[in-house]
Amino acid sequence: MPTSSFISASSNKTVSAPIAKKIPHEMNIHHHQRVDNYYWMRDDQRIDEEVLAHLNDENAYADTMLTEQKPLQELLFQELKARVVKDDNTVPAKDGKYWYHSEISGEQEFSNFYRATSFAGENKTLLLDVNERAKDHEFYDLGDVSISPNDQLMSISEDTDSRRIYTIIFKDLNQAVDSDDIYLTDIIVETEGEVVWANDNQTIFYVKKDLETLLGTQVYRHKLGTAQSDDVLVYEEKDHSFYMSLDKSRDDSQIYICLHATESTHCLALSADEPDGKFVELFPYQEQHEYHADKMAEHFYIVTNYQAKNFRLMKVAVDQVNDINNWQEVIPHRENVLLEGIELFHHFIVVTERENGQIRFIVHTTQGENAGHQYPLSFDDPCYFSCLGDNPEPESTTARLYYSSLTTPGSLYDFDLATGERKLIKQQKVLGDFNKADYQSERLFISARDGTQVPVSLVYRSTSFKKDGTNPLLQYGYGAYGITIGPNFSSQTLSLLDRGFVYVIAHVRGSEMLGRAWYETGKMSHKQNTFNDFIDVTQALVTQGYGAKDKIFASGGSAGGLLMGAIANQAPELYLGIGAHVPFLDVLTTMLDETIPLTTNEYDEWGNPNEAQAYQDILAYSPIDNISAQHYPNILVTTGLHDSQVQYFEPMKWVAKLREFKTDDNLLLFKTDMDAGHGGASGRFKRLKESALEMSFFISLLPEASNEI
């Protein structure tokens, strides 16, 4: 066992790590017993004085141990902040009669919302001063801003507790800014934050949260000018394996209740012109059928995995949608191409696809003399991230796309859908001496232990990279839910690259980087592939000279924090330091507890441990259950007390157990933001402090760190 004390160089005093008390809690299932000595740390109300005291002790200990890093933290924070354009605005997007955009300036933490009568900003009006609304709150998150169809009312959803429980208020856009009647008396609490307007401009629909599971389970209809207690329940979902959301069809004629489990979709529809009507299912529910349906005029377009693992596009007349046999194929299934989604326009469909790990966009002409014609929207870089931007008007003949690469700052393009001609309308400014030509990115494919080729994106500063095994290297990973982490530009990463780091994204199994099968072979009983891929990428990059074997770092958050916990157990010798943020670490205990938010939704991702085989599969890798008496890397763990996705007590318990078992004197630091949740601190500059904290932690571990200040 290591000593739990360290000598603080600044004070020359012995500093002891907090040691948590142990109260054995037995858990028995499938003829197997586990004992959790730190189960007592769970406090759903977050008011237990002993729990809060221990978290504060951990924060104090971390602050003490990081004292010598404070100057570097501040230096990095100022670097990150200096690259940010303080006075900035989004590109206006037309929606109805108005053009909408946001602006931020000076030391403001949040963007304010405006609208005007032209792209150039004529008759610009401030719709929402977000900084004013946030000023009295330690945490503030603006969930959703939605404008009524007649442009006269605005709904605003806000979370001030960081639990993703939103309160909805309404603003009369016809009233003067200083009017007492600018906000309606309607206040709707305990919601998901999403609002969909009926076409009468007086009826809205919202999803109410279950305050225990934090799942949206009920859809209510609200008439403006009435109390929430008078709202009408229009749908309730009893099956807690579904997430619930609301949507409106592209042609604004229908309102949808969308139910999404990990592997199944169900959709109910209502005419937006008849808000007092009844929601009916779009077509019969079928397990493991995933789809997204949207309507344009007389047809539905449906992206579906029905007899198509990588999805295909179908079309059907509105009055025939409920029978899948009536669907007509527009884009067939392809073994090597993942169809990710579509955007409908009156005369065009923009299709988002992914092949060999790279995103692309194909325009299909649906009307006019060129109907049936298709062509790609092209970009220059061989490896990049791109997505559809804000395109609220279906009658538009241009499409807005966001584009970025590891060396190219975020850029907005407008594409002429008839010709494919593109126009750059804005590119992210990076203040300081940034020059794209100073940096080089690469796309590699690395063989995992089972022979599978794992895609890897990486970037470095050309003048400091030698490929001789001397560079420090930071490897990031996620690998869950089919979420693909694209090779996107980050001005924050420059602070590492300029110090000689190589930055790597390992596109491990569990994402959809290489199609649907890439996801399916990285979850449930195949989850170990995610960890193997990450570890094997690290080893290969060291072998190939991209990083020094004694200067390798890893970072991940949420499900990526699970990845960090697994590699810390399975290959601790590879990493000098690990950053685990809001990490999901106590997988087995959480998945056996249906009262914890989101558990039942996750059975198709991790498996249901009430079943014996799934229990054994999870037990084999669950980070907290596989801690052993061995050396661990230096580890920085961060979380938020009010996290609604991964409860604070998961990393709290993990750290306590690591302190009990680990056999080294490496740093193990645990920081809890007592005001934040899963997304971390709110505000653009506050978030930079979190990035500076991790960067300084890693840099300070390097032998050459003494030269930093």
Side-chain angles (χ1 to χ4, degrees), residues 13-26:
K13 294 181 179 179
T14 301
V15 181
S16 297
I19 302 300
K21 69 178 182 180
K22 296 163 64 173
I23 303 176
H25 176 81
E26 293 184 2

mmCIF file with all atom_site columns, all heavy atoms in Angstrom, residues 13-26:
data_model
loop_
_atom_site.group_PDB
_atom_site.id
_atom_site.type_symbol
_atom_site.label_atom_id
_atom_site.label_alt_id
_atom_site.label_comp_id
_atom_site.label_asym_id
_atom_site.label_entity_id
_atom_site.label_seq_id
_atom_site.pdbx_PDB_ins_code
_atom_site.Cartn_x
_atom_site.Cartn_y
_atom_site.Cartn_z
_atom_site.occupancy
_atom_site.B_iso_or_equiv
_atom_site.pdbx_formal_charge
_atom_site.auth_seq_id
_atom_site.auth_comp_id
_atom_site.auth_asym_id
_atom_site.auth_atom_id
_atom_site.pdbx_PDB_model_num
ATOM 1   N N   . LYS A 1 13 ? 4.767   21.151 4.194  1.00 0.00 ? 13 LYS A N   1
ATOM 2   C CA  . LYS A 1 13 ? 3.951   20.430 5.146  1.00 0.00 ? 13 LYS A CA  1
ATOM 3   C C   . LYS A 1 13 ? 3.415   19.154 4.511  1.00 0.00 ? 13 LYS A C   1
ATOM 4   O O   . LYS A 1 13 ? 3.256   19.068 3.302  1.00 0.00 ? 13 LYS A O   1
ATOM 5   C CB  . LYS A 1 13 ? 2.785   21.299 5.627  1.00 0.00 ? 13 LYS A CB  1
ATOM 6   C CG  . LYS A 1 13 ? 3.203   22.513 6.450  1.00 0.00 ? 13 LYS A CG  1
ATOM 7   C CD  . LYS A 1 13 ? 1.976   23.285 6.895  1.00 0.00 ? 13 LYS A CD  1
ATOM 8   C CE  . LYS A 1 13 ? 2.376   24.500 7.735  1.00 0.00 ? 13 LYS A CE  1
ATOM 9   N NZ  . LYS A 1 13 ? 1.176   25.280 8.156  1.00 0.00 ? 13 LYS A NZ  1
ATOM 10  N N   . THR A 1 14 ? 3.144   18.182 5.359  1.00 0.00 ? 14 THR A N   1
ATOM 11  C CA  . THR A 1 14 ? 2.560   16.942 4.875  1.00 0.00 ? 14 THR A CA  1
ATOM 12  C C   . THR A 1 14 ? 1.074   17.144 4.605  1.00 0.00 ? 14 THR A C   1
ATOM 13  O O   . THR A 1 14 ? 0.342   17.663 5.441  1.00 0.00 ? 14 THR A O   1
ATOM 14  C CB  . THR A 1 14 ? 2.732   15.815 5.908  1.00 0.00 ? 14 THR A CB  1
ATOM 15  O OG1 . THR A 1 14 ? 4.124   15.629 6.156  1.00 0.00 ? 14 THR A OG1 1
ATOM 16  C CG2 . THR A 1 14 ? 2.118   14.525 5.400  1.00 0.00 ? 14 THR A CG2 1
ATOM 17  N N   . VAL A 1 15 ? 0.637   16.755 3.402  1.00 0.00 ? 15 VAL A N   1
ATOM 18  C CA  . VAL A 1 15 ? -0.756  16.889 3.002  1.00 0.00 ? 15 VAL A CA  1
ATOM 19  C C   . VAL A 1 15 ? -1.329  15.500 2.811  1.00 0.00 ? 15 VAL A C   1
ATOM 20  O O   . VAL A 1 15 ? -0.804  14.708 2.032  1.00 0.00 ? 15 VAL A O   1
ATOM 21  C CB  . VAL A 1 15 ? -0.885  17.694 1.696  1.00 0.00 ? 15 VAL A CB  1
ATOM 22  C CG1 . VAL A 1 15 ? -2.351  17.848 1.309  1.00 0.00 ? 15 VAL A CG1 1
ATOM 23  C CG2 . VAL A 1 15 ? -0.215  19.051 1.839  1.00 0.00 ? 15 VAL A CG2 1
ATOM 24  N N   . SER A 1 16 ? -2.378  15.194 3.530  1.00 0.00 ? 16 SER A N   1
ATOM 25  C CA  . SER A 1 16 ? -2.976  13.862 3.476  1.00 0.00 ? 16 SER A CA  1
ATOM 26  C C   . SER A 1 16 ? -4.189  13.852 2.561  1.00 0.00 ? 16 SER A C   1
ATOM 27  O O   . SER A 1 16 ? -5.031  14.751 2.613  1.00 0.00 ? 16 SER A O   1
ATOM 28  C CB  . SER A 1 16 ? -3.393  13.394 4.873  1.00 0.00 ? 16 SER A CB  1
ATOM 29  O OG  . SER A 1 16 ? -2.256  13.269 5.709  1.00 0.00 ? 16 SER A OG  1
ATOM 30  N N   . ALA A 1 17 ? -4.269  12.824 1.737  1.00 0.00 ? 17 ALA A N   1
ATOM 31  C CA  . ALA A 1 17 ? -5.442  12.641 0.884  1.00 0.00 ? 17 ALA A CA  1
ATOM 32  C C   . ALA A 1 17 ? -6.630  12.237 1.740  1.00 0.00 ? 17 ALA A C   1
ATOM 33  O O   . ALA A 1 17 ? -6.474  11.512 2.729  1.00 0.00 ? 17 ALA A O   1
ATOM 34  C CB  . ALA A 1 17 ? -5.164  11.572 -0.165 1.00 0.00 ? 17 ALA A CB  1
ATOM 35  N N   . PRO A 1 18 ? -7.819  12.680 1.388  1.00 0.00 ? 18 PRO A N   1
ATOM 36  C CA  . PRO A 1 18 ? -9.008  12.263 2.148  1.00 0.00 ? 18 PRO A CA  1
ATOM 37  C C   . PRO A 1 18 ? -9.203  10.747 2.045  1.00 0.00 ? 18 PRO A C   1
ATOM 38  O O   . PRO A 1 18 ? -9.168  10.194 0.950  1.00 0.00 ? 18 PRO A O   1
ATOM 39  C CB  . PRO A 1 18 ? -10.151 13.008 1.454  1.00 0.00 ? 18 PRO A CB  1
ATOM 40  C CG  . PRO A 1 18 ? -9.497  14.141 0.730  1.00 0.00 ? 18 PRO A CG  1
ATOM 41  C CD  . PRO A 1 18 ? -8.155  13.634 0.318  1.00 0.00 ? 18 PRO A CD  1
ATOM 42  N N   . ILE A 1 19 ? -9.376  10.125 3.175  1.00 0.00 ? 19 ILE A N   1
ATOM 43  C CA  . ILE A 1 19 ? -9.641  8.677  3.208  1.00 0.00 ? 19 ILE A CA  1
ATOM 44  C C   . ILE A 1 19 ? -11.080 8.485  3.680  1.00 0.00 ? 19 ILE A C   1
ATOM 45  O O   . ILE A 1 19 ? -11.452 8.895  4.777  1.00 0.00 ? 19 ILE A O   1
ATOM 46  C CB  . ILE A 1 19 ? -8.668  7.946  4.147  1.00 0.00 ? 19 ILE A CB  1
ATOM 47  C CG1 . ILE A 1 19 ? -7.227  8.194  3.692  1.00 0.00 ? 19 ILE A CG1 1
ATOM 48  C CG2 . ILE A 1 19 ? -8.991  6.457  4.180  1.00 0.00 ? 19 ILE A CG2 1
ATOM 49  C CD1 . ILE A 1 19 ? -6.907  7.719  2.296  1.00 0.00 ? 19 ILE A CD1 1
ATOM 50  N N   . ALA A 1 20 ? -11.878 7.880  2.814  1.00 0.00 ? 20 ALA A N   1
ATOM 51  C CA  . ALA A 1 20 ? -13.296 7.725  3.122  1.00 0.00 ? 20 ALA A CA  1
ATOM 52  C C   . ALA A 1 20 ? -13.527 6.558  4.069  1.00 0.00 ? 20 ALA A C   1
ATOM 53  O O   . ALA A 1 20 ? -12.827 5.542  4.015  1.00 0.00 ? 20 ALA A O   1
ATOM 54  C CB  . ALA A 1 20 ? -14.077 7.504  1.828  1.00 0.00 ? 20 ALA A CB  1
ATOM 55  N N   . LYS A 1 21 ? -14.523 6.715  4.900  1.00 0.00 ? 21 LYS A N   1
ATOM 56  C CA  . LYS A 1 21 ? -14.892 5.606  5.776  1.00 0.00 ? 21 LYS A CA  1
ATOM 57  C C   . LYS A 1 21 ? -15.496 4.475  4.942  1.00 0.00 ? 21 LYS A C   1
ATOM 58  O O   . LYS A 1 21 ? -15.974 4.690  3.817  1.00 0.00 ? 21 LYS A O   1
ATOM 59  C CB  . LYS A 1 21 ? -15.890 6.059  6.829  1.00 0.00 ? 21 LYS A CB  1
ATOM 60  C CG  . LYS A 1 21 ? -17.264 6.412  6.283  1.00 0.00 ? 21 LYS A CG  1
ATOM 61  C CD  . LYS A 1 21 ? -18.217 6.805  7.403  1.00 0.00 ? 21 LYS A CD  1
ATOM 62  C CE  . LYS A 1 21 ? -19.617 7.112  6.858  1.00 0.00 ? 21 LYS A CE  1
ATOM 63  N NZ  . LYS A 1 21 ? -20.560 7.499  7.930  1.00 0.00 ? 21 LYS A NZ  1
ATOM 64  N N   . LYS A 1 22 ? -15.473 3.286  5.498  1.00 0.00 ? 22 LYS A N   1
ATOM 65  C CA  . LYS A 1 22 ? -15.980 2.099  4.811  1.00 0.00 ? 22 LYS A CA  1
ATOM 66  C C   . LYS A 1 22 ? -17.163 1.526  5.600  1.00 0.00 ? 22 LYS A C   1
ATOM 67  O O   . LYS A 1 22 ? -17.037 1.214  6.778  1.00 0.00 ? 22 LYS A O   1
ATOM 68  C CB  . LYS A 1 22 ? -14.880 1.058  4.658  1.00 0.00 ? 22 LYS A CB  1
ATOM 69  C CG  . LYS A 1 22 ? -13.735 1.531  3.773  1.00 0.00 ? 22 LYS A CG  1
ATOM 70  C CD  . LYS A 1 22 ? -12.475 0.700  3.942  1.00 0.00 ? 22 LYS A CD  1
ATOM 71  C CE  . LYS A 1 22 ? -12.687 -0.723 3.499  1.00 0.00 ? 22 LYS A CE  1
ATOM 72  N NZ  . LYS A 1 22 ? -11.405 -1.489 3.511  1.00 0.00 ? 22 LYS A NZ  1
ATOM 73  N N   . ILE A 1 23 ? -18.281 1.408  4.910  1.00 0.00 ? 23 ILE A N   1
ATOM 74  C CA  . ILE A 1 23 ? -19.466 0.764  5.474  1.00 0.00 ? 23 ILE A CA  1
ATOM 75  C C   . ILE A 1 23 ? -19.891 -0.314 4.488  1.00 0.00 ? 23 ILE A C   1
ATOM 76  O O   . ILE A 1 23 ? -20.436 0.005  3.422  1.00 0.00 ? 23 ILE A O   1
ATOM 77  C CB  . ILE A 1 23 ? -20.623 1.765  5.694  1.00 0.00 ? 23 ILE A CB  1
ATOM 78  C CG1 . ILE A 1 23 ? -20.178 2.917  6.597  1.00 0.00 ? 23 ILE A CG1 1
ATOM 79  C CG2 . ILE A 1 23 ? -21.840 1.053  6.283  1.00 0.00 ? 23 ILE A CG2 1
ATOM 80  C CD1 . ILE A 1 23 ? -21.234 3.989  6.774  1.00 0.00 ? 23 ILE A CD1 1
ATOM 81  N N   . PRO A 1 24 ? -19.635 -1.576 4.778  1.00 0.00 ? 24 PRO A N   1
ATOM 82  C CA  . PRO A 1 24 ? -19.936 -2.643 3.809  1.00 0.00 ? 24 PRO A CA  1
ATOM 83  C C   . PRO A 1 24 ? -21.416 -2.675 3.426  1.00 0.00 ? 24 PRO A C   1
ATOM 84  O O   . PRO A 1 24 ? -22.300 -2.625 4.286  1.00 0.00 ? 24 PRO A O   1
ATOM 85  C CB  . PRO A 1 24 ? -19.529 -3.917 4.548  1.00 0.00 ? 24 PRO A CB  1
ATOM 86  C CG  . PRO A 1 24 ? -18.550 -3.461 5.576  1.00 0.00 ? 24 PRO A CG  1
ATOM 87  C CD  . PRO A 1 24 ? -19.003 -2.101 5.997  1.00 0.00 ? 24 PRO A CD  1
ATOM 88  N N   . HIS A 1 25 ? -21.665 -2.728 2.129  1.00 0.00 ? 25 HIS A N   1
ATOM 89  C CA  . HIS A 1 25 ? -23.024 -2.847 1.592  1.00 0.00 ? 25 HIS A CA  1
ATOM 90  C C   . HIS A 1 25 ? -23.025 -4.047 0.649  1.00 0.00 ? 25 HIS A C   1
ATOM 91  O O   . HIS A 1 25 ? -22.370 -4.031 -0.398 1.00 0.00 ? 25 HIS A O   1
ATOM 92  C CB  . HIS A 1 25 ? -23.416 -1.571 0.840  1.00 0.00 ? 25 HIS A CB  1
ATOM 93  C CG  . HIS A 1 25 ? -24.759 -1.639 0.169  1.00 0.00 ? 25 HIS A CG  1
ATOM 94  N ND1 . HIS A 1 25 ? -25.931 -1.434 0.858  1.00 0.00 ? 25 HIS A ND1 1
ATOM 95  C CD2 . HIS A 1 25 ? -25.107 -1.905 -1.124 1.00 0.00 ? 25 HIS A CD2 1
ATOM 96  C CE1 . HIS A 1 25 ? -26.954 -1.558 0.018  1.00 0.00 ? 25 HIS A CE1 1
ATOM 97  N NE2 . HIS A 1 25 ? -26.475 -1.840 -1.190 1.00 0.00 ? 25 HIS A NE2 1
ATOM 98  N N   . GLU A 1 26 ? -23.726 -5.076 1.018  1.00 0.00 ? 26 GLU A N   1
ATOM 99  C CA  . GLU A 1 26 ? -23.727 -6.316 0.240  1.00 0.00 ? 26 GLU A CA  1
ATOM 100 C C   . GLU A 1 26 ? -24.785 -6.263 -0.858 1.00 0.00 ? 26 GLU A C   1
ATOM 101 O O   . GLU A 1 26 ? -25.907 -5.789 -0.644 1.00 0.00 ? 26 GLU A O   1
ATOM 102 C CB  . GLU A 1 26 ? -23.987 -7.519 1.150  1.00 0.00 ? 26 GLU A CB  1
ATOM 103 C CG  . GLU A 1 26 ? -22.868 -7.800 2.140  1.00 0.00 ? 26 GLU A CG  1
ATOM 104 C CD  . GLU A 1 26 ? -23.119 -9.061 2.948  1.00 0.00 ? 26 GLU A CD  1
ATOM 105 O OE1 . GLU A 1 26 ? -24.152 -9.729 2.693  1.00 0.00 ? 26 GLU A OE1 1
ATOM 106 O OE2 . GLU A 1 26 ? -22.306 -9.369 3.834  1.00 0.00 ? 26 GLU A OE2 1
#
